[in-house]
């Protein structure tokens, strides 16, 4: 029973001339031990860095995007452009015009999204905040769905298709089924969630069974979903309102509508509460449940997860199902709460894609997504009032949102700009 | 060139990884850094290479104080590092890899590949490397890939070379060749820092030895010091270098493998019609040069391989065709050979990693919900029992030193109720003190009446642990021989030569 240390040292002490011909087994040796992980792993690593990066970067990205948004406001503002012509002779004019443009823009953004100091009574002063919450609800729901797939190592780009299918299913129940109030609403919401889960589940199953990349599948399913719903909306036998030639359904029955939270004067409805419940549930699933543990394990290292007896394919399918159900909840929220006048192919209102940004900004953490959803809800609510009161194109807000994504996806850029120390890594 | 580190201190939060470490390496000298897992060797080298910034202290090259903001500065100053995990692009050729990051461009930004080829040829010739500049890196054996890394470093005129555990993934023969290369580099006047846990290698090439423990230099050792002395200095206590194990108490042949054949996804037969048995209370060591089917054999035992023929019966139940989870539930413990890829989730905490293969039921999951207090208690206990050097159970496993990561994997697998233990390279990258501990745990598992399979490319480990030795060559069993078979014979068997005389 000897150990290395008891042996005479020297090059040949183990007396093992290696095999002269290494064709048989070397490929495995190299593959296992030495070559950097295959490109898929690197892609996954990058995705992980982008989707779960650190909070400071998220915050700085927002600030930077807002700063660049300010520049755009300056460039597009007429008064600023005029005064810039004689900026050297009368710089004061230029700076006061610039100051006015920016404070006007962000002032109206604030008044449109949080508190309108010019409102006649308390209700109209506080109304913008309720609008923000109304817009934030579905963003949070769908953002949770997308964030959940990020944590499991996947992308769900199919929010649009899932929301459309969910909206159509929830709408169909909301129009055609006769049930008393809470039951009808519950059935409609459930139908939406099931439809969303089904649509996302297709991508999950295809990935698990055939290895088809979920990004491509979910994008394609957006188109399929769109035309499917469009078709249903042009058939009287399916969803189209009787006697109509427009691709639109009948309005929801009252018994299927999400009730208003603050009475008739506000648009805020029960959907926001559902969003908060979803935050709590997803938080629990990810951090306290065995299922979430497996999601995170598969997302962070599928090799180790598989070796530990976790069925990676099954986990992908489950993650996609739950993700789709959450996105479907957002779809149901739209048709049963925000746009109850009938199903159309515009019912997703861009939320399916904004949800990706929300999940990124929230770093795939439920509470982060809550915050990011509220911020984007405020952008939505405020963007319109900015356009209305200051004549600033609402696109500025879209540019700010897009820049946020850009900066989050390029943390090294943000780090360099703010001279943060490079992340220490082995 | 002379390298001096002066009072270098590096902290990670409250943990002091390097505590005022001073070190001098002269040109033409091989300076070995010895120290237990988590002593701070890699951290120190990462500071030197500009990957980490020291909290205090200086890096001095030929009397000039340096301030590195990244590896770029360190490379420019003449420092080169051969990483344990190679930083090569597998689809590029050798010349392209060598050129990468240091591209010489000609007219209108066109790459001057010919210059890079010439550089590879020149360096290869100087050091006798025999590397073809046009070979695709992904096709090369590990040892040659490592040489490409060395060429890459040398092509940037590095005068200080750092080797951080370069031999952990090499075959004994490749190791010997690397030693020769290091001697050659020494002759050319380079200052070399060499980190390894294998004392044999230290004594073979070291000119000077510095021992680090818990972030501090505890002293210098002479290359002539005995292994026991070196080990004691590293660990701070006398280390038992031989496994003490009593005669096996053999039980029934619980694991029976018959006609096992494994075909990899590329259609190559990696394990070719293998049959063997392991009895309760017995350690069967699988020896062989890396890449002769050991990986596939262990993966087949676990249900991780897809194309498996033949049969594997544990306690009379067939394991072939069953899911990994069913195999684990049947009581199979598995220490995978690559802990970072298959054994751990780097971003998970130590505690989470300790329950990685137990997320389906008691004691850590009840009614689908994690039992965090049970997990915490368990993790605290294992951390202490296995002497994992970490700030706490919530430390991400990826932040642990290599050896401590290994201890986490071993702790997880050995703390289940086992009916079979499969351990592949259980002590790769582990310091002598921890080798002692892991070996004793494996022997204790055997003594509890569990059949054990240990796969190791270290002949020393094989001989130390085995009750019987099975040698694999090109996916076939060359022979199954008693543990006291002479090393000479084992060495020959590893090249495919069947043993003469009686076979166990
Ligand atoms: N990025 C990091 N964040 C926090 N702690 C770290 C980090 N990197 C290393 N450490 C800690 O610093 C200590 C020294 O680690 P280091 O990797 O330098 O050890 P080592 O001597 O190379 O050990 P080994 O022989 O096992 O490779 C360890 O306790 C480790 O957990
Ligand atoms: Mg190390």
């Amino acid at each position: 029973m000897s150990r290395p240390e008891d042996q005479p040292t020297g090059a040949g002490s183990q007396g093992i001339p290696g095999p002269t011909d290494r064709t048989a087994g070397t490929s495995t040796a190299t593959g296992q031990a030495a070559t950097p992980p295959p490109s898929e792993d690197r892609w996954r690593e990058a995705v992980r860095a982008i989707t779960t990066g650190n909070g400071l970067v998220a915050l700085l990205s927002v600030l930077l995007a807002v700063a660049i948004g300010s520049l755009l406001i300056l460039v597009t503002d007429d008064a600023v452009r005029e005064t810039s012509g004689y900026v050297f002779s009368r710089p004061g004019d230029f700076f006061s015009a610039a100051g006015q443009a920016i404070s006007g823009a962000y002032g109206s953004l604030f008044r449109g999204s949080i508190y309108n100091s010019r409102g006649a009574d308390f209700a109209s002063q506080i109304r913008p905040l309720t609008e923000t919450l109304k817009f934030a609800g579905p963003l949070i729901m769908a953002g949770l769905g997308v964030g959940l797939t990020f944590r499991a190592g996947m992308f769900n780009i199919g929010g649009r298709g899932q929301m459309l299918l969910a909206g159509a299913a929830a709408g169909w129940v909301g129009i055609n089924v006769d049930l008393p109030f809470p039951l009808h609403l519950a059935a409609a919401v459930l139908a939406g969630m099931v439809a969303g889960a089904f649509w996302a589940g297709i991508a999950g199953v295809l990935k698990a069974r055939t290895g088809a990349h979920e990004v491509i599948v979910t994008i394609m399913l957006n188109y399929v979903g769109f035309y499917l719903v469009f078709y249903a909306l042009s058939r009287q036998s399916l969803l189209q309102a009787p006697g109509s030639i427009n691709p639109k359904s009948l309005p929801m029955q009252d018994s299927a509508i999400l009730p208003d939270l603050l009475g008739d004067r506000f648009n805020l409805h029960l959907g926001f509460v559902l969003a908060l419940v979803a935050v709590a549930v997803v938080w629990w699933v990810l951090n306290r449940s065995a299922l979430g543990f497996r999601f995170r394990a598969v997302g962070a290292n599928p090799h180790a997860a598989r070796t530990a007896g976790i069925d990676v394919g099954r986990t992908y399918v489950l993650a996609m199902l739950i993700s789709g159900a959450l996105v479907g909840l957002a779809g149901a929220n739209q048709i049963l709460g925000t746009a109850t006048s009938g199903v159309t192919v515009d019912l997703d209102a861009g939320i399916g894609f904004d949800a990706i940004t929300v999940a990124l900004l929230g770093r795939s953490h439920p509470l982060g997504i809550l915050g990011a959803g509220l911020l984007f809800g405020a952008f939505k609510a405020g963007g319109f009032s900015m356009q209305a009161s200051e004549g600033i194109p609402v696109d500025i807000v879209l540019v700010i949102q897009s820049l946020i994504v850009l900066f989050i996806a390029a943390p090294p850029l943000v780090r360099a700009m703010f001279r943060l120390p490079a992340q220490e890594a082995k | 060139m002379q390298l001096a580190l002066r009072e270098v201190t590096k902290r990670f939060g409250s943990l002091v990884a390097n505590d005022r470490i001073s070190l001098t390496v002269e040109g033409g000298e091989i300076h070995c850094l010895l120290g237990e897992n988590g002593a701070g060797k890699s951290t120190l080298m990462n500071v030197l290479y500009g990957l980490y910034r020291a909290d205090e202290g200086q890096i001095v090259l030929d009397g000039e104080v340096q301030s590195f903001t990244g590896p770029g500065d360190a490379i420019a100053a003449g420092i080169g590092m051969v990483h344990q995990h190679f930083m090569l692009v597998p689809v590029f050729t050798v010349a392209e890899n060598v050129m990468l990051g240091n591209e010489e461009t000609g007219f209108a930004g066109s790459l001057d590949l010919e210059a890079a080829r010439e550089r590879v040829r020149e360096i290869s010739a100087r050091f006798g490397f025999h590397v073809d500049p046009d070979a695709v890196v992904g096709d090369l054996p590990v040892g040659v890939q490592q040489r490409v890394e060395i060429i890459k470093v040398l092509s940037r005129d590095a005068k200080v070379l750092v080797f951080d555990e370069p031999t952990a993934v090499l075959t004994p023969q490749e190791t010997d060749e690397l030693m020769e290369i290091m001697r050659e580099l020494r002759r050319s006047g380079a200052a070399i820092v060499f980190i390894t846990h294998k004392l044999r290698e230290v004594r073979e090439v070291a000119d000077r030895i510095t021992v680090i423990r818990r972030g501090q230099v505890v002293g210098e050792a002479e290359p002539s010091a005995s292994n026991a002395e070196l080990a004691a200095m590293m660990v701070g206590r006398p280390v038992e270098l031989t496994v003490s194990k009593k005669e096996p108490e053999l039980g029934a042949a619980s694991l029976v493998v018959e006609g096992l054949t494994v075909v990899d996804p590329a259609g190559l037969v990696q394990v070719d019609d293998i049959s063997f048995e392991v009895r309760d209370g017995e350690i069967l060591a699988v020896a062989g040069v890396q890449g002769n089917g050991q990986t596939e054999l262990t993966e087949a035992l676990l249900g991780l391989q897809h194309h498996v023929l033949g049969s594997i019966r544990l306690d009379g139940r067939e394991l072939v065709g069953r899911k990994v989870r069913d195999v684990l539930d049947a009581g199979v413990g598995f220490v995978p050979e690559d802990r970072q890829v298959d054994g751990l989730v780097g971003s998970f905490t130590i505690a989470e990693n300790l329950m990685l293969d137990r997320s389906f039921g008691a004691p850590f999951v009840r009614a689908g919900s994690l039992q965090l207090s049970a997990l915490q208690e368990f993790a605290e206990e294992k951390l202490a029992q296995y002497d994992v050097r970490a700030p706490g159970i919530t430390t991400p496993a990826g932040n642990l030193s290599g050896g401590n990561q290994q201890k986490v994997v071993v702790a997880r697998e050995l703390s289940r109720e086992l009916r079979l233990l499969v351990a592949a390279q259980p002590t790769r990258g582990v310091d002598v003190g921890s080798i002692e501990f892991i070996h004793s745990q494996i022997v204790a598992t055997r003594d509890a009446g569990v059949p054990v399979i240990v796969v190791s490319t270290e002949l020393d480990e094989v001989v130390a642990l085995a009750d019987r030795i099975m040698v694999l060559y090109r996916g076939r069993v060359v022979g199954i021989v008693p543990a006291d078979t002479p090393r000479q014979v084992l060495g020959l068997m590893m090249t495919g030569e069947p043993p003469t005389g009686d076979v166990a």
Side-chain angles (χ1 to χ4, degrees):
Chain A
M1 298 299 116
S2 54
R3 286 286 305 272
E5 295 71 27
D6 304 322
Q7 290 305 306
T9 56
S13 73
Q14 299 194 325
I16 316 160
T20 41
D21 179 348
R22 326 187 75 240
T23 45
T26 330
S27 60
T28 18
T30 347
Q32 295 270 335
T35 44
S39 60
E40 197 194 324
D41 285 11
R42 265 190 260 174
W43 158 242
R44 186 179 290 120
E45 201 42 52
V47 168
R48 219 166 63 75
I50 292 171
T51 54
T52 61
N54 80 40
L56 186 59
V57 170
L59 187 68
L60 294 179
S61 301
V62 173
L63 293 180
L64 203 57
V66 168
I68 292 182
S70 310
L71 281 181
L72 286 175
I73 291 169
L74 290 184
V75 173
T76 51
D77 188 271
D78 288 337
V80 173
R81 221 176 316 149
E82 238 165 67
T83 53
S84 70
Y86 49 90
V87 60
F88 293 109
S89 48
R90 292 173 60 188
D93 280 10
F94 171 75
F95 286 114
S96 78
Q100 256 167 24
I102 292 183
S103 65
Y106 289 120
S108 69
L109 191 63
F110 180 81
R111 282 194 303 278
S113 63
I114 297 175
Y115 180 77
N116 183 5
S117 49
R118 299 175 187 170
D121 56 357
F122 181 70
S124 49
Q125 284 167 352
I126 205 71
R127 192 168 193 280
L129 182 63
T130 66
E131 284 296 296
T132 291
L133 298 184
K134 180 194 80 181
F135 283 118
L139 286 170
I140 293 168
M141 296 166 178
L144 288 170
V146 174
L148 192 100
T149 52
F150 282 162
R151 294 296 287 274
M154 284 185 296
F155 263 109
N156 179 1
I157 315 288
R160 174 145 201 235
Q162 289 148 30
M163 278 187 72
L164 282 175
L165 263 271
W172 190 88
V173 173
I175 297 162
N176 297 320
V177 176
D178 289 312
L179 280 171
F181 160 67
L183 286 180
H184 194 185
L185 175 62
V189 169
L190 197 68
M193 292 177 74
V194 169
F198 168 71
W199 211 237
I202 294 176
V205 170
L206 285 178
K207 183 182 176 74
R209 286 280 156 79
T210 68
H213 203 294
E214 77 282 359
V215 168
I216 294 165
V217 176
T218 51
I219 288 177
M220 290 304 150
L221 284 176
N222 281 339
Y223 292 103
V224 181
F226 176 88
Y227 287 109
L228 215 59
V229 172
F230 190 82
Y231 175 78
L233 284 173
S234 52
R235 288 292 134 129
Q236 307 266 326
S237 56
L238 294 169
L239 263 178
Q240 193 176 35
S244 166
I245 51 161
N246 294 325
K248 185 167 183 179
S249 76
L250 287 173
M252 299 304 112
Q253 292 182 31
D254 284 346
S255 53
I257 287 178
L258 288 159
D260 287 334
L261 281 182
L262 301 170
D264 289 344
R265 284 196 61 187
F266 300 98
N267 293 327
L268 184 64
H269 52 76
L270 191 66
F272 185 72
V273 175
L274 292 183
L276 293 181
V277 172
V279 169
V281 170
V282 172
W283 183 89
W284 183 84
V285 167
L286 278 176
N287 296 302
R288 289 287 182 271
S289 79
L291 185 66
F293 181 86
R294 293 194 286 272
F295 284 171
R296 290 184 289 126
V298 168
N301 184 349
H303 303 285
R306 188 169 105 89
T307 308
I310 296 171
D311 187 333
V312 175
R314 199 180 127 92
T315 308
Y316 283 148
V317 175
L318 282 173
M320 269 296 181
L321 284 175
I322 298 181
S323 168
L326 287 161
V327 178
L329 181 62
N333 174 83
Q334 289 307 92
I335 192 65
L336 303 175
T338 307
T340 54
S341 61
V343 179
T344 68
V345 284
D346 301 321
L347 83 101
D348 83 297
I351 293 165
F353 286 112
D354 286 346
I356 300 169
T357 321
V358 168
L360 279 176
L361 184 59
R363 297 176 303 128
S364 313
H365 287 277
L367 293 175
I369 290 169
L370 174 63
L374 288 172
L375 179 69
F376 273 50
F379 278 154
K380 274 204 182 194
F384 295 116
S385 91
M386 201 160 87
Q387 177 154 26
S389 72
E390 299 288 314
I392 293 166
V394 70
D395 305 284
I396 293 281
V397 168
L398 297 181
V399 169
I400 292 178
Q401 293 184 2
S402 315
L403 287 172
I404 291 174
V405 181
L406 194 75
F407 291 133
I408 287 180
L413 181 66
V414 177
R415 283 209 178 83
M417 292 177 90
F418 287 90
R419 299 188 182 284
L420 294 180
Q423 202 156 45
E424 296 191 326
K426 281 204 179 181
Chain B
M1 190 183 268
Q2 187 207 44
L3 162 73
L5 297 171
R6 290 198 195 133
E7 305 263 304
V8 170
T9 299
K10 174 73 196 170
R11 300 187 192 90
F12 293 111
S14 63
L15 182 128
V16 188
N18 291 157
D19 188 1
R20 282 167 294 149
I21 292 190
S22 297
L23 191 74
T24 324
V25 189
E26 306 288 343
E29 171 183 275
I30 298 179
H31 197 125
C32 266
L33 275 190
L34 268 186
E36 30 176 13
N37 297 127
K41 306 177 294 291
S42 298
T43 304
L44 187 66
M45 291 305 112
N46 286 338
V47 167
L48 171 62
Y49 196 55
L51 282 167
Y52 292 165
R53 208 164 307 166
D55 295 311
E56 286 154 37
Q58 293 171 329
I59 299 168
V60 184
L61 287 175
D62 278 342
E64 257 178 65
V65 178
Q66 309 286 324
S67 70
F68 298 150
T69 56
D73 294 349
I75 292 170
I79 294 173
M81 183 131 146
V82 177
H83 302 267
Q84 183 181 335
H85 294 277
F86 307 144
M87 310 282 183
L88 299 172
V89 183
V91 294
F92 277 15
T93 66
V94 171
E96 284 168 336
N97 265 294
V98 167
M99 189 168 61
L100 192 66
N102 199 18
E103 296 88 353
E104 295 175 44
T105 47
F107 177 69
S110 63
L111 290 173
D112 192 353
L113 198 56
E114 195 43 52
R117 278 207 198 95
E118 193 42 52
R119 201 108 179 79
V120 173
R121 274 191 219 109
E122 179 215 327
I123 295 169
S124 295
R126 183 142 47 100
F127 294 97
F129 279 178
H130 309 293
V131 173
D132 172 10
D134 295 318
V136 174
V137 162
D139 298 340
L140 298 172
V142 188
V144 180
Q145 291 196 13
Q146 191 171 57
R147 251 168 259 173
V148 176
E149 280 265 329
I150 298 172
I151 292 176
K152 188 166 177 169
V153 167
L154 292 176
S155 75
R156 286 162 203 190
D157 297 315
K159 297 289 189 306
V160 176
L161 281 96
V162 177
F163 291 86
D164 191 352
E165 295 193 42
T167 57
V169 291
L170 299 187
T171 65
Q173 194 195 17
E174 286 170 334
T175 301
D176 291 339
E177 286 166 9
L178 178 68
M179 302 277 140
E180 197 41 57
I181 289 170
M182 284 171 45
R183 288 194 199 96
E184 188 61 44
L185 289 168
R186 169 169 64 190
R187 273 195 284 280
S188 75
I192 297 173
V193 181
F194 177 37
I195 300 175
T196 181
H197 286 294
K198 300 179 191 167
L199 299 177
R200 177 176 78 85
E201 295 165 5
V202 175
R203 302 207 318 192
E204 207 175 300
V205 293
D207 298 307
R208 277 162 70 204
I209 300 170
T210 296
V211 181
I212 300 179
R213 195 186 326 140
R214 294 177 189 252
Q216 291 178 321
V217 172
V218 292
E220 288 217 1
E222 290 300 317
S224 57
S226 76
N227 283 327
E229 283 165 6
L230 289 176
M233 206 163 166
M234 269 168 69
V235 185
R237 63 176 167 86
V239 178
E240 200 77 44
L241 289 173
T242 47
V243 194
S244 57
K245 77 192 209 315
K246 52 185 187 350
E247 279 302 301
E249 287 175 27
L250 297 181
S254 308
L255 180 76
V256 181
V257 174
E258 272 172 348
L260 187 71
T261 298
V262 181
V263 183
D264 72 7
L268 295 175
V269 176
Q270 297 290 359
V271 174
D272 194 357
D273 195 14
I274 284 185
S275 300
F276 63 90
E277 297 180 354
V278 188
R279 299 171 68 175
D280 282 348
E282 178 189 44
I283 297 177
L284 176 75
V286 179
V289 174
Q290 172 105 43
N292 278 289
Q294 300 98 315
T295 308
E296 289 76 11
L297 170 62
T298 53
E299 289 183 354
L301 286 167
L302 259 289
L304 287 161
Q305 283 283 346
H306 291 297
H307 305 286
V308 179
L309 303 172
S311 110
I312 301 168
R313 278 194 310 278
L314 179 62
D315 296 326
R317 279 191 301 169
E318 182 60 51
L319 293 188
V320 170
R322 290 224 260 159
K323 287 195 179 137
V324 184
R325 198 181 133 198
D326 295 337
V327 175
L328 293 173
D329 286 347
V332 180
F334 181 46
V335 179
E337 72 178 35
D338 192 333
R339 56 180 167 257
Q340 286 183 339
V341 172
D342 298 316
L344 294 168
V345 177
S347 57
F348 271 24
T349 65
I350 294 175
E352 286 174 319
N353 272 292
L354 282 171
M355 65 160 285
L356 195 61
D357 55 7
R358 291 213 247 176
S359 67
F360 290 95
F364 304 127
V365 175
R366 203 169 300 148
S369 146
L370 300 180
Q371 302 299 306
L372 293 183
S373 55
L375 178 61
Q376 182 180 349
E377 200 175 306
F378 174 77
E380 302 275 7
E381 182 194 316
K382 291 298 157 190
L383 210 66
Q385 187 189 346
Y386 281 78
D387 191 24
V388 178
R389 300 284 166 82
I393 58 167
T394 54
T395 306
N399 283 358
L400 295 180
S401 75
N404 283 305
Q405 292 180 346
Q406 185 72 12
K407 287 192 228 172
V408 172
V409 176
V410 173
R412 176 181 69 215
E413 296 306 314
L414 291 188
S415 52
R416 283 190 295 134
E417 193 73 30
L418 293 186
R419 274 308 301 141
L420 170 68
L421 174 64
V422 180
Q425 317 295 351
T427 58
R428 182 173 273 176
V430 173
D431 69 44
V432 281
S434 308
I435 288 177
E436 172 195 23
F437 179 75
I438 291 175
H439 280 181
S440 69
Q441 292 298 310
I442 290 176
V443 171
T445 306
R446 169 195 86 153
D447 290 342
V450 175
V452 176
I453 296 178
V454 173
V455 176
S456 181
T457 48
E458 296 283 325
L459 198 47
D460 300 309
E461 180 162 56
V462 167
V463 171
L465 287 176
D467 294 316
R468 282 186 304 148
I469 300 173
M470 175 165 89
V471 181
L472 290 185
Y473 178 71
R474 295 205 183 168
R476 284 173 170 275
V477 175
V478 182
I480 299 179
V481 294
D484 57 7
T485 307
R487 282 163 182 256
Q488 225 75 35
V489 177
L490 290 173
L492 280 177
M493 286 172 72
M494 289 182 185
T495 67
E497 198 124 324
T500 46
D502 27 281
V503 172

